[in-house]
Amino acid sequence: MTDHLSTLIQAVEDADSSYRLLAAVQELAAARLEGAIPTLIAALSYNNPGAAVAAVDGLIQLGEPSIPALLEQLDLHNYTARAWAIRALAGIGDPRGLVTLLGVATADFSPSVRRAAARGLGMMKWHWFPDDLLEIAQEEALEALLFVAQQDEEWVVRYAAIMGLQALARAIAATHPDWRSRIQSHLEQIAANDENWAVRARIWMAQQHLQTEATPTPAVVAKPSPLSATDWQTILEKLYDRKKQEKLVLAEGDPRRYRDLAASIAQPSDGVQV
Amino acid sequence: MDDESVIKSDSSLTVEQAIANLQGEDLGLRVYAAWWIGRFRVNDPEAIAVLIAALDDEDDRTTVGGYPLRRNAARALGKLGDRRAVPALVRALECSDFYVREAAAQALEALGDASCLPRLIELLNNQVPGTLPAPEPPQLTQPFEAILEALGALGATAAIPDILPFLEHDVPRIQYAAARAMYQLTPSPEAQQYGDRLVQALSNKELQLRRTVLTDLGAIGYLPAADAIAQTPAENSLKLIALKGLLEKQLQHTTPPHLTDGAMKVMTLMDELL
C-alpha cells in the first residue's frame, strides 16, 4: 500500500464528524486508487448520504475492479448500503449487474434506486456481451425501460428511463433498426401525454440526438470484457429465471402495487434518498 | 394522536368519513382528517367549508398553547387551491400560535392571492398584536421564512424596503429566503446579485442549509447556478429537483419542442446525477 493511499484511508477511519467523513471519503474517491475499494464500499453503510454519494462516484470511476465487492454487498441485508451498491453497479454498467438492474428499475420502492437502475440499463457495457446473449439482454432492457418510461409515478424515474432509452437506441441502431423505430414512436407518445415538462423536454433532447445520429456511433474502444464463461452462464440463467418469474408475477398482479405501501413505511431519513 | 386513532384512521378513510371526523369528538381523528383531505387533494366544497371552520378551532390545544388542528387545516387549504379560503387564512395570520401563522403564510402563497399582502407585511414587521414567538430556540417572533417566500412569490414589490434588512438576519435560512424574494421582486440585471448570493450559500458547511438553498434556487430557476447545484455536496435527489426548477424556467422562454442552450445544459447536468 502506498503511503498516500494509507494516509487517505486513515483519514476516513479517523473522521470524527459527518463533515470530516464526507471530506475524507471525497479525497479518497478522487485519488482513484484500486486499493481504496474496500474502504469506499464500507462507506456505503455509514449512514452518511454525502459520503455515500462520494464513495459511489469513486467506485464508478474505478469501474470493473469494484464489481466483485459490490456484488457481495448486494447479498447483505443492509438495505441502504444495498441501494448505494446498486447505484454504483448502474453507474459502471457491468453486465453482472444486469439482472439486478432489470429487477430494481421496475420494482424497487426507492425512486432514487429506480432512476439509477433505469439509467444503467441504457448504458450497459453492451460491447462486452457475447452475440447470442446480447439480443436477449437488450430486449429485456428495452421492455423494462419502455415500461418504466410510461408507468413509473415519479417524474425523475421516467426522466431516467428516457435517458436510458436514448442510450439503448444508439446501441442497437445497427443491429435492430426495428427496435429503434419502436423507441422513437413510444417517445413521441410519451412527449404528447406526460404531464411533467422536464420529462417532455428530455424527450425532445433525445429526439434531437436520435435525429442527428443517423449513423450509429462505433462502440467505444475500451478494455476487453473481463467476464469469464461462468459469469456469462450465470447471467443467462438469471435472465431465464426472470423470464419465468415475470410470467408468474403478471398472472397474479402487478408487484408495483406493493411499492406504495413499502414507500409509506420507509422513513425519509433512512439514507435511501441520494 | 394516540395509537388507537392511528389504527382507526387508516387509508380506508372516505371523503364522507373524513368530513365527519373533522367535526367529530375525537381530536386525533380531526387532525388526521384535515391532513388526509389535503394529502389526497379532496377538492370538495363541503370539505373546504369544514376546514375553514377548523381554522377557528378552540378544542385542540397543545401544552404550550398551540393549535394542531388549525395548523393542519391551514396546510390542507393551501393544497386545495380554493381561494374562498383566503379571508379565513388571512385571519389565521393573527393567530397566537407561530405554526398556524407559518402554515397560513405558506397556504396563502400557494393560493396565489395578493389580497393578503398588507397583513403579511405587518407580520414581517412584527406589528400584529397577540402573536407569540416560536416556542423553541431561536424563538423567532414570526415565521419570517414563510412570510418572505410568500412576499416574493406573490410579487410584493411594495415590500422591498421591509425585506432588505432580512438579508442580514442572524439566521442563515432567513437570509436566503430574503435573497430569494429579492431575486423575484427585482428586475434583471440587478436581480442577479441576489441569485449569486444563493449560489455562494451553496458552499455553506451545513448540509441542511445547502438543502434549503437548493430549494430556493430551484424555486427561482436561476440558470447561472446550474453548475454549482450539480457540484454541491448534497443528495442527488435534491439537486435534480433544483435543476428541474431551472429547466422549467428555461422552457417558459421557448416553444416546444425547441430547447434553449440553457435547457440542454441543465439536462446534461441532470443526466449525470441520475
Side-chain angles (χ1 to χ4, degrees), chain B residues 8-183:
Chain B
K8 273 191 285 181
S9 52
D10 63 3
S11 58
S12 63
L13 208 58
T14 62
V15 175
E16 294 73 31
Q17 190 64 52
I19 292 171
N21 285 357
L22 251 180
Q23 304 163 98
E25 293 293 309
D26 186 321
L27 296 179
L29 285 188
R30 281 197 215 173
V31 173
Y32 182 84
W35 172 84
W36 189 89
I37 291 171
R39 165 67 181 77
F40 294 101
R41 315 226 171 209
V42 179
N43 226 327
D44 177 288
E46 201 188 339
I48 288 162
V50 179
L51 285 173
I52 290 174
L55 288 176
D56 293 320
D57 172 76
E58 285 292 348
D59 297 336
D60 191 14
R61 304 295 300 269
T62 66
T63 44
V64 290
Y67 291 92
L69 177 59
R70 293 191 190 189
R71 296 173 192 168
N72 270 14
R75 290 179 194 129
L77 286 166
K79 291 188 175 133
L80 296 178
D82 191 323
R83 291 197 182 185
R84 274 176 297 181
V86 169
L89 285 167
V90 174
R91 278 198 308 280
L93 292 175
E94 299 162 21
C95 183
S96 57
D97 180 0
F98 179 92
Y99 295 105
V100 171
R101 300 195 300 279
E102 178 175 70
Q106 287 164 342
L108 287 162
E109 176 187 347
L111 294 182
D113 191 308
S115 65
C116 64
L117 289 180
R119 204 54 167 155
L120 276 178
I121 295 169
E122 284 169 5
L123 206 57
L124 184 71
N125 292 320
N126 203 18
Q127 292 162 339
V128 181
T131 55
L132 301 176
E136 65 282 300
Q139 279 158 333
L140 296 168
T141 50
Q142 298 297 339
F144 294 118
E145 227 181 312
I147 298 168
L148 290 163
E149 280 182 24
L151 291 172
L154 297 174
T157 43
I160 287 177
D162 303 294
I163 294 171
L164 282 170
F166 286 89
L167 289 169
E168 313 302 331
H169 197 276
D170 293 340
V171 178
R173 300 172 69 98
I174 296 174
Q175 291 175 20
Y176 306 153
R180 166 176 164 170
M182 284 305 297
Y183 178 85

Side-chain angles (χ1 to χ4, degrees), chain A residues 102-219:
Chain A
L102 286 169
V104 298
T106 50
D108 197 279
F109 76 77
S110 158
S112 56
V113 176
R114 296 204 300 280
R115 74 171 193 246
R119 177 182 196 258
L121 281 178
M123 306 181 69
M124 192 57 46
K125 290 197 162 75
W126 300 116
H127 56 284
W128 281 0
F129 280 78
D131 287 344
D132 50 346
L133 191 52
L134 181 64
E135 181 166 293
I136 304 170
Q138 286 182 330
E139 190 171 14
E140 283 292 302
L142 174 64
E143 295 302 336
L145 286 172
L146 286 175
F147 175 81
V148 175
Q150 281 154 310
Q151 306 279 327
D152 203 287
E153 69 263 37
E154 286 287 335
W155 72 270
V156 74
V157 183
R158 301 197 300 278
Y159 181 103
I162 304 301
M163 189 204 173
L165 284 170
Q166 178 190 324
L168 187 62
R170 176 190 298 177
I172 48 114
T175 49
H176 279 285
D178 50 331
W179 291 356
R180 191 182 157 102
S181 321
R182 201 170 147 217
I183 291 175
Q184 282 173 308
S185 71
H186 274 281
L187 288 181
E188 235 165 83
Q189 275 176 33
I190 304 168
N193 297 322
D194 203 294
E195 69 199 17
N196 187 286
W197 286 98
V199 172
R200 290 182 172 201
R202 188 62 189 80
I203 291 176
W204 302 332
M205 187 160 93
Q207 287 170 330
Q208 282 188 22
H209 280 285
L210 293 177
Q211 273 158 20
T212 51
E213 283 163 16
T215 50
T217 17

Side-chain angles (χ1 to χ4, degrees), chain A residues 77-94:
Chain A
H77 292 291
N78 178 341
Y79 179 78
T80 306
R82 187 175 180 276
W84 291 112
I86 288 169
R87 289 184 55 78
L89 214 54
I92 296 169
D94 190 285

